[in-house]
Amino acid sequence: MQNSNANNDETETVSFVMMGISFNLRVKKSESKALLKAAHDVQQRSASLLRSNPSLTTQQAAILVALNVQSDLNNLLTRNTPFEEQALALIGKTREYLVKY
């Protein structure tokens, strides 16, 4: 009898080149598409940064991209989603109603 999680645990090698460096990473099959998209996005950000700042080295561009991505992630994690904003507004209205009556 096979484990139902067997397909989720299957791995494959994902290869890509970023800033002239070749990578061959073994990842779960379910994660390979996201990894390739992330690699593409980082490559695009790095290329854009290098075009607008030709004096940067690839290592400097990579560090700046990492800082930008982490900053974006931190901003997303500290902000409320639109659903949370609606829920908080509804809670506020409910409190006002309860205090009033």
Side-chain angles (χ1 to χ4, degrees), residues 12-27 35-36 38-40 42-43 46 58-59 62:
E12 66 182 353
T13 300
V14 175
S15 301
F16 57 92
V17 176
M18 185 177 301
M19 293 187 235
I21 301 171
S22 296
F23 293 88
N24 296 304
L25 304 175
R26 190 161 257 325
V27 298
L35 174 61
L36 288 172
H40 178 264
V42 168
Q43 181 67 35
S46 299
T58 54
Q59 291 84 3

Side-chain angles (χ1 to χ4, degrees), residues 35 55 57-58 67 69-70 82 97-98:
L35 174 61
S55 63
T57 66
T58 54
L67 289 171
V69 168
Q70 186 61 47
Y97 178 80
L98 291 172

Side-chain angles (χ1 to χ4, degrees), residues 12-84:
E12 66 182 353
T13 300
V14 175
S15 301
F16 57 92
V17 176
M18 185 177 301
M19 293 187 235
I21 301 171
S22 296
F23 293 88
N24 296 304
L25 304 175
R26 190 161 257 325
V27 298
K28 291 180 183 178
K29 283 187 176 184
S30 61
E31 297 172 350
S32 63
K33 187 176 179 180
L35 174 61
L36 288 172
K37 180 174 180 355
H40 178 264
D41 292 348
V42 168
Q43 181 67 35
Q44 292 297 322
R45 285 183 179 213
S46 299
S48 175
L49 189 60
L50 286 167
R51 277 192 299 276
S52 61
N53 300 283
S55 63
L56 290 176
T57 66
T58 54
Q59 291 84 3
Q60 289 170 323
I63 290 168
L64 290 174
V65 167
L67 289 171
N68 286 336
V69 168
Q70 186 61 47
S71 177
D72 292 347
L73 180 59
N74 290 345
N75 287 335
L76 287 172
L77 292 174
T78 58
R79 259 193 272 147
N80 289 338
T81 66
F83 175 76
E84 288 171 319

